[in-house]
């Protein structure tokens, strides 16, 4: 199985993995041994969408060697292109959208029993589709929990409301039940997932608690160490949620708050429903609630009509806020979204130049912010071995409560995954910190 896209897609793939395993399917070590392939796709920009087609093209050779080998395409491109995949790639026998996921394990069994069958699972449901869980005996220390599906915001550039459908909040009872179960299986850190978590519950006509109440309830669960959530839309960020950053013990001091642009004019054309001033007010409130909070964001360069002045406004607000990190993208036209009809389009060259300037500025801020941490202390949850290993020591990688990557050298050879240490930061790199355990 190959997964592209956001954390919601990663969480969907994790669920599928567990379900297929408990249904008796076995993951093969090499591609040559596989009876079928699953690709979970993303269509948020052109690039991840193109990757799906080249990936499928590559699978042709396996089908040619053994005609019973087939491919399954899920996620956001599948929802958009649908049965078109059957025509373009004859060895695709299953397409499924985000709401069809729950039916995939059963469908795979049907496909294996009937070689002439093709199945498409593309319907949207009007409520959050609960899935049957097959939990293993022990879970890794970190887990995602879906709290909603879909999005109602229709930002001018974004395909997500079309691929994931309308916002559907999951019942808070189910969410709490899942969180409690995960904690009992060894999970220490939970990340709540949704396209716009701040509007959690608003689609349930007063029948559900709001996001701030949900955070409070989960924070109160015994045994949880860290709580995070993503993604937040600035327009729905309530005072209660901001204050939670200063009040809730488990809520980590990090917020990803997508800004997209620093220009009021562009924000208006994007349909984001906030302006610079409102965004800066939110930042002020967050820093007041928790002075240690780290802030990350998403930015788009080259939205139709973006002038040099608009772009300068983005650089300007980046310097005002001083983000700890950011993801930045070149604007990409998506089929059916409002901005695909907006003009003038910005040339590839200008987009590349702007992206480059913006990313260099972010690198400076990131390095500067990390350097400020030297000498400080925080708790680090170990996630796994570091990518780079030195001789004579064993390096492990984790994150502090602000979400910064921290590498720590240990003298003994032991599996430290899931352990939490009090750490002093001794050095900073471009994107990470080095620390030592305080004993
Ligand atoms: N729900 C999240 C974002 C999901 S998409 C939110 O509202 O913040 C993740 C990011 O992809 C967005 O924040 C945006 O920066 C980027 N993105 C979305 N559509 C895009 C497009 N058409 N071109 C370039 N970047 C895009
Ligand atoms: Fe897309 Fe906007 Fe919804 Fe985020 S809030 S998923 S950017 S439409
Ligand atoms: Fe991509 Fe769909 Fe997520 S378009 S970003 S996988 S919601």
């Amino acid at each position: 199985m190959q997964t592209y896209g956001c954390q919601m897609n990663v969480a969907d793939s994790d669920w599928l993995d567990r379900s297929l395993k408990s249904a008796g399917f076995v993951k093969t070590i090499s591609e040559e041994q596989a009876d079928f392939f699953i690709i979970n796709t993303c269509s948020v920009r052109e690039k991840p969408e193109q990757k799906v087609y080249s990936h499928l093209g590559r699978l042709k050779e396996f089908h040619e060697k053994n005609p019973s080998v087939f491919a399954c395409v899920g996620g956001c491109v599948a929802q958009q292109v649908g049965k078109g995949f059957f025509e373009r790639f004859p060895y695709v026998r299953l397409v499924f959208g985000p709401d069809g996921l729950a039916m995939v394990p059963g469908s795979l069994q049907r496909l294996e029993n009937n070689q002439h069958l093709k199945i498409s699972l593309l319907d949207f449901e009007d409520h959050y589709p609960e899935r049957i869980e097959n939990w293993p005996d022990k879970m890794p220390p970190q887990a995602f929990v879906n709290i909603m599906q879909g999005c109602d915001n229709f930002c001018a550039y974004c395909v997500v409301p079309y691929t994931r459908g309308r916002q559907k909040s999951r019942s808070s009872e189910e969410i709490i039940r899942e969180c409690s179960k995960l904690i009992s299986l060894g999970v220490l850190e939970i990340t709540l997932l949704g396209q716009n978590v701040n509007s959690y519950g608003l689609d349930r006509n007063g029948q559900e608690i709001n996001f701030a109440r949900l955070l409070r309830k989960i924070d109160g669960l015994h045994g949880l160490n860290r709580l995070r959530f993503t993604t937040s839309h600035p327009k729905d960020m309530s005072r209660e949620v901001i204050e939670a950053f200063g009040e809730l013990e488990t809520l980590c001091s990090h917020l990803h708050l997508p800004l997209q642009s620093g220009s009021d004019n562009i924000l208006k054309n994007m349909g984001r429903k906030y302006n610079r001033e409102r965004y800066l007010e939110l930042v002020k409130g967050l820093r007041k609630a928790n002075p240690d909070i780290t802030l990350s964001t998403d930015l788009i360069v080259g939205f139709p009509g973006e002038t040099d002045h608009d772009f300068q406004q983005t650089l300007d607000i980046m310097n005002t806020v001083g983000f700890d990190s950011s993801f930045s993208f070149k604007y990409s036209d998506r089929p059916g979204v409002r901005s695909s009809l907006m003009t003038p389009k910005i040339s590839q060259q200008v987009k590349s130049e702007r992206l480059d300037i913006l990313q260099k500025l972010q690198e400076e801020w990131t390095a500067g912010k990390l350097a400020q941490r030297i000498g400080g202390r925080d708790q680090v949850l170990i996630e796994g071995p570091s990518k780079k290993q030195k001789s004579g020591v064993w390096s492990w990688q984790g994150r502090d409560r602000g979400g910064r990557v921290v590498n720590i050298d240990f003298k003994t050879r032991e599996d430290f995954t899931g352990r939490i240490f009090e750490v002093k930061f001794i050095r900073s790199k471009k994107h990470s910190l080095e620390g030592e355990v305080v004993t």
Side-chain angles (χ1 to χ4, degrees), residues 154-411:
F154 290 92
C155 300
Y157 50 82
C158 186
V159 78
V160 172
Y162 305 93
T163 61
R164 295 232 164 211
R166 292 295 70 70
Q167 172 172 321
K168 289 158 286 187
S169 295
R170 189 178 180 192
S171 111
S172 56
E173 241 173 77
E174 293 288 349
I175 297 170
I176 308 252
R177 192 176 305 149
E178 183 164 321
C179 291
S180 306
K181 179 74 190 171
L182 288 167
I183 296 167
S184 76
L185 295 174
V187 168
L188 296 169
E189 176 179 306
I190 289 177
T191 302
L192 305 177
L193 290 183
Q195 290 298 346
N196 179 8
V197 292
N198 292 310
S199 63
Y200 170 79
L202 302 183
D203 52 303
R204 302 281 291 253
N205 304 323
Q207 304 291 305
E208 250 318 337
I209 54 175
N210 67 17
F211 184 55
R213 289 277 309 147
L214 182 69
L215 285 176
R216 266 175 212 285
K217 284 202 166 188
I218 299 172
D219 175 67
L221 295 176
H222 184 68
L224 181 66
N225 190 278
R226 293 176 167 199
L227 179 58
R228 301 183 190 277
F229 58 83
T230 199
T231 308
S232 291
H233 192 305
K235 85 175 162 65
D236 297 315
M237 186 97 208
S238 68
R239 180 186 291 269
E240 262 180 295
V241 172
I242 292 178
E243 284 166 2
F245 280 97
E247 290 166 5
L248 305 187
E249 207 181 315
T250 63
L251 189 60
C252 288
S253 52
H254 168 228
L255 178 66
H256 184 67
L257 191 61
L259 166 65
Q260 313 300 0
S261 168
S263 152
D264 282 348
N265 194 25
I266 296 293
L267 285 172
K268 189 161 161 264
N269 292 344
M270 284 177 164
R272 291 288 288 178
K273 302 189 178 73
Y274 55 86
N275 57 17
R276 289 170 70 87
E277 195 188 331
R278 166 87 179 124
Y279 191 91
L280 290 171
E281 253 170 41
L282 290 174
V283 170
K284 208 163 138 194
L286 286 159
R287 287 190 168 143
K288 192 168 160 219
N290 182 340
D292 289 333
I293 199 162
T294 58
L295 294 172
S296 56
T297 199
D298 287 350
L299 296 157
I300 297 176
V301 297
F303 186 79
E306 186 186 68
T307 61
D308 276 338
H309 178 70
D310 291 321
F311 177 60
Q312 283 303 325
Q313 296 273 305
T314 299
L315 298 179
D316 180 76
I317 198 169
M318 283 177 75
N319 284 324
T320 310
V321 177
F323 291 106
D324 293 83
S325 62
S326 64
F327 298 97
S328 41
F329 312 101
K330 284 190 237 178
Y331 169 79
S332 155
D333 262 344
R334 304 312 294 135
V337 307
R338 272 181 292 138
S339 62
S340 62
L341 302 173
M342 292 181 186
T343 51
K345 301 286 182 216
I346 308 301
S347 71
Q348 272 303 329
Q349 194 196 336
V350 171
K351 281 195 257 189
S352 300
E353 281 166 13
R354 288 182 183 167
L355 189 69
D356 205 39
I357 295 170
L358 191 150
Q359 290 185 337
K360 286 211 171 95
L361 178 63
Q362 183 58 55
E363 298 252 302
E364 283 171 30
W365 272 103
T366 302
K369 289 264 172 181
L370 288 171
Q372 279 174 15
R373 291 288 283 169
I374 298 171
R377 290 178 177 204
D378 200 355
Q379 286 188 347
V380 173
L381 169 61
I382 304 291
E383 295 176 1
S386 305
K387 276 172 224 113
K388 276 193 204 149
Q389 292 293 334
K390 305 170 198 158
S391 66
V393 289
W394 286 270
S395 300
W396 289 82
Q397 191 168 82
R399 279 175 200 271
D400 68 5
R401 294 180 67 84
R404 303 174 190 87
V405 173
V406 184
N407 289 293
I408 309 167
D409 292 342
F410 289 89
K411 299 218 165 53

Side-chain angles (χ1 to χ4, degrees), residues 3-10 12 40-45 48 75-77 98 149-150 158-161 163-164 195 334:
T3 307
Y4 299 96
C6 63
Q7 282 151 323
M8 302 203 73
N9 256 16
V10 174
D12 285 352
N40 201 359
T41 65
C42 171
S43 64
V44 81
R45 284 171 295 278
C76 291
V77 183
Q149 178 77 280
C158 186
V159 78
V160 172
T163 61
R164 295 232 164 211
Q195 290 298 346
R334 304 312 294 135

